[in-house]
Structures are given as C-alpha cells and as structure tokens.
Amino acid sequence: MNKRQLFLILRQCTLAAVLLAVSACSFKKDPEKPAPEVVVLQEQDKLIAQPLAVISSMSEDAFIEKIKEQPMSYLEAIKSTNDESLLDLAIGLKKTKVIEFLLSKDYNPFLYNEKSADELRLNGNLKDLIGSFERPLLLKLTSQIPDLMKKGSLDSELRSKNFQIHGCIDLIATILDMEYYKTYKSDPDAGDYIPDVSPLSDPQSAIKGVMQSPVCSSLRGNISTETLQRWAENELASDFMSDFSSSTMLSLIFDLGSVENLSIEIYENGMKLRVDPQALISCSTKLSQTDRDKWNSLVEKHRATDIFYYQLTLSSMRPCKRINAVLKHEIFYYNTGSEDDTGGDE
C-alpha cells in the first residue's frame, strides 16, 4: 500500500468519525427547550352532567351535605337533559328536605315547570311548603304591578323570576285573595312572615296586565276548572256583598276559561247548600230591573242545567232571608262552615 492510498483511507475514516459525532449530537436533549406540558383533565362535575342520577342515588341528608357550600347561582343553573331544574327533580322524587333546604337558601321558588306544577296539585304538603316561600314574593310583586305596568316592565319582571303559567295563575289568585280577604297577616304557627298588604285600587286592570304579558299569554284554557269555579264563586259572593255594583271582575274570570255549575255554597244549621246565582241576584234590593236582567244574562250560561243541582233557589222557602242571614257577615266568613255563624231563619 503506497502513501497515497493510506492517506485516502485515513481521510475517509476521519470523515466518518465526524459524521458519526454530529449525528450523535443531534439526538441529545436541547437543554434550553422546555419539556412538553402535561395536561391533566379535571373530572367532569357529575351534578352538572347527571343531576338526576346524583340526587336519586343519595339520601336527602347526603345530598344536602354535597350542595350546602355551593353558591345559589350554581344550583339554579343546574338542568337535567330534560331541562328540569334541581327543584323539578326534588319535586318529582318527593325529596321534602332537599326542597326545604333549597328554598330556605333563597333558591327561586318559581323555578319549576308545568309538569311539577301538576304534581304539586296532587301533593298538598309539598304545594303548601313551596307556597309558603312563594307567597311573600307574590304579595310584594302584586303591590308592584301598577308601577310595573306604568313603566312597561311587568313582563321583564316576571321573566326575571322565571314565571311560567303556574306562576301567572298564582299571581292572579293573589290579586283576587287580596281583594276578597282584604289583608294578609303573619302566621305565627307557620313561622313565616307575611306582611299586611292593602288590596289594589284597580284589581281588574292588574289582572288584565298579567293576562296581556307575553309570559302569561297562554293563560286562557290552562286554568283548571276547579280553580275557575272557586274564583267565580268568591267573586259572585263579593258582588252580592257590594250589591252587584260591577260585573267587570266576574266577566274577566269567565273570559279565562270554562265555568259551569256556578253556585255559592253556604252552611245553614251545619248543612252545606248550593245556592242558585240567580237567587242571589234576585235577593239584591238595590238592583234596578234593567241591571238585574243584565246580571241574570251574564250568569245564565254558567248555571247548572240539572234542576236538582241547587238546594236553595227562588222557589225555596224564604230564600232571601236565608241567604242574607248567612252572607251578610264579613266577606267570605260564611265559607268556614262555623256553627257559630250559620244564621238560619231566626
């Protein structure tokens, strides 16, 4: 091997060694380059994702313990896949302690749907429980209706409180109750505070305002016959007490849905009697014949067609004396059935 060949071999070995060294360096970690971030996924909130499963699987005490530190805005935002609120779920599962806990922490008592409202009509205890939290808010809202109507903000106020049809019905019932019973007072036995509230000067306009609110626009036809019957009966008795001075409110109630078998129930000597509304009208001494005819025409299509439905009619013995003996008391006191105030013919 001559010197030239030996030189070429050494040069190739040197070049190979350099390439090998460079290649090896390219695999070394760059000390200035940070390590890739390790992203840790948080566990999804099961109460948000599956509220029905969570509340169903836990005892009431355990569930309350789980949610007691959560802000109310968080709890009110929880919705099931069927768009049911936490209150809806508690109503459906009849979890009384959970309902009472939520409402005692200022959870919106109107935040439940029409399905839950139907269930509450069949469960008096739960209805009374939720109603005890709704009532002060309804009274306050009722007193604000005239100002809200003037400002054109009644609908937005109802929406802010999550009013649905059941809330609209309860609001109208509150307006009527304030008119009939004149004042609410605190119930010391119930432990809740209900302020004295004066009846509205124009309850008819307030009810019309509620009916015209887009939130309550589907009221007509969605009020139970039983509720309408009760409203019409109360209004008819009120009209009798005021010598049938105005038919506006009764017409308004008739406009809300179907009212049949209209009557007034009174207690005479411990016995409940259904009074024909036309007997009430005829027993009013201050109505002119023209006005009496108008009132009879208004109630005619709402009277019972069965001639045996009424126990006290114009053909009964001394109907006016018996009606006045019972009804000429403080408004609606007659409906208690108290033996101390049954009247009779004495």
Side-chain angles (χ1 to χ4, degrees):
M1 178 180 299
N2 57 33
K3 290 181 179 182
R4 179 178 176 78
Q5 289 176 326
L6 181 60
F7 174 77
L8 290 174
I9 292 173
L10 289 174
R11 191 176 70 174
Q12 289 176 350
C13 289
T14 301
L15 180 60
V18 171
L19 291 174
L20 184 61
V22 171
S23 177
C25 289
S26 67
F27 286 103
K28 288 182 180 180
K29 184 176 180 180
D30 186 351
E32 297 180 0
K33 187 177 181 180
E37 285 188 20
V38 178
V39 179
V40 179
L41 295 177
Q42 299 293 329
E43 182 181 356
Q44 190 176 20
D45 188 334
K46 291 183 180 179
L47 185 57
I48 289 288
Q50 299 176 320
L52 178 58
V54 174
I55 192 173
S56 299
S57 64
M58 303 177 73
S59 69
E60 292 195 76
D61 290 335
F63 184 76
I64 290 172
E65 184 67 24
K66 178 180 178 65
I67 66 172
K68 69 179 184 180
E69 301 299 332
Q70 297 291 351
M72 197 50 57
S73 58
Y74 168 86
L75 296 176
E76 288 184 343
I78 292 174
K79 295 284 187 178
S80 73
T81 53
N82 293 325
D83 202 34
E84 296 168 308
S85 70
L86 204 53
L87 186 55
D88 282 315
L89 300 177
I91 291 171
L93 296 169
K94 298 178 176 60
K95 290 189 176 284
T96 305
K97 291 174 69 174
V98 173
I99 294 172
E100 189 167 11
F101 172 81
L102 289 172
L103 298 180
S104 67
K105 297 298 183 183
D106 292 331
Y107 189 98
N108 185 349
F110 301 105
L111 196 56
Y112 59 92
N113 59 28
E114 295 305 313
K115 177 183 176 183
S116 294
D118 290 338
E119 292 186 25
L120 291 177
R121 294 185 187 102
L122 302 175
N123 191 321
N125 291 334
L126 282 185
K127 183 174 178 62
D128 289 343
L129 172 60
I130 295 176
S132 68
F133 288 91
E134 290 178 330
R135 195 176 307 121
L137 300 179
L138 286 168
L139 285 165
K140 181 179 180 181
L141 179 57
T142 298
S143 66
Q144 296 172 336
I145 286 177
D147 287 338
L148 291 171
M149 289 176 62
K150 287 180 183 178
K151 297 174 182 176
S153 57
L154 177 58
D155 186 69
S156 60
E157 183 69 18
L158 298 180
R159 289 183 188 279
S160 72
K161 290 178 168 51
N162 197 65
F163 262 59
Q164 299 178 51
I165 292 302
H166 60 83
C168 298
I169 293 172
D170 290 342
L171 184 56
I172 290 179
T174 303
I175 297 170
L176 292 173
D177 285 345
M178 287 171 62
E179 176 65 14
Y180 300 145
Y181 296 100
K182 301 304 179 186
T183 185
Y184 276 94
K185 297 184 181 297
S186 301
D187 182 354
D189 295 327
D192 57 353
Y193 175 70
I194 302 175
D196 292 345
V197 179
S198 299
L200 298 176
S201 59
D202 189 357
Q204 294 92 340
S205 293
I207 291 176
K208 288 178 181 178
V210 173
M211 292 170 60
Q212 292 167 1
S213 168
V215 171
C216 304
S217 60
S218 57
L219 260 176
R220 289 181 178 85
N222 281 305
I223 305 176
S224 71
T225 300
E226 178 185 359
T227 297
L228 286 172
Q229 294 284 124
R230 184 175 68 254
W231 290 356
E233 176 180 335
N234 288 347
E235 178 55 31
L236 190 58
S238 178
D239 291 332
F240 178 83
M241 296 290 290
S242 63
D243 295 308
F244 295 96
S245 58
S246 173
S247 62
T248 303
M249 184 68 84
L250 190 59
S251 298
L252 199 57
I253 293 171
F254 288 158
D255 188 44
L256 286 170
S258 176
V259 177
E260 299 176 350
N261 299 328
L262 178 63
S263 69
I264 295 294
E265 292 184 347
I266 66 173
Y267 289 83
E268 183 183 69
N269 300 323
M271 181 179 296
K272 183 167 70 174
L273 303 177
R274 284 193 294 265
V275 182
D276 185 344
Q278 290 192 342
L280 287 176
I281 295 168
S282 295
C283 290
S284 175
T285 58
K286 295 186 178 181
L287 277 177
S288 67
Q289 188 58 50
T290 300
D291 288 337
R292 185 174 284 111
D293 290 342
K294 288 180 180 178
W295 274 94
N296 281 326
S297 176
L298 175 63
V299 303
E300 173 60 33
K301 64 180 180 180
H302 302 285
R303 293 173 64 238
T305 56
D306 183 354
I307 60 174
F308 298 108
Y309 183 80
Y310 300 112
Q311 289 88 38
L312 188 53
T313 68
L314 278 174
S315 61
S316 301
M317 182 181 297
R318 298 189 300 276
C320 294
K321 184 176 181 179
R322 294 164 67 187
I323 289 171
N324 278 285
V326 177
L327 292 184
K328 288 299 181 181
H329 290 285
E330 184 178 352
I331 195 164
F332 294 127
Y333 196 73
Y334 75 93
N335 210 28
T336 65
S338 170
E339 293 183 0
D340 294 333
D341 295 275
T342 51
D345 290 334
E346 289 79 18

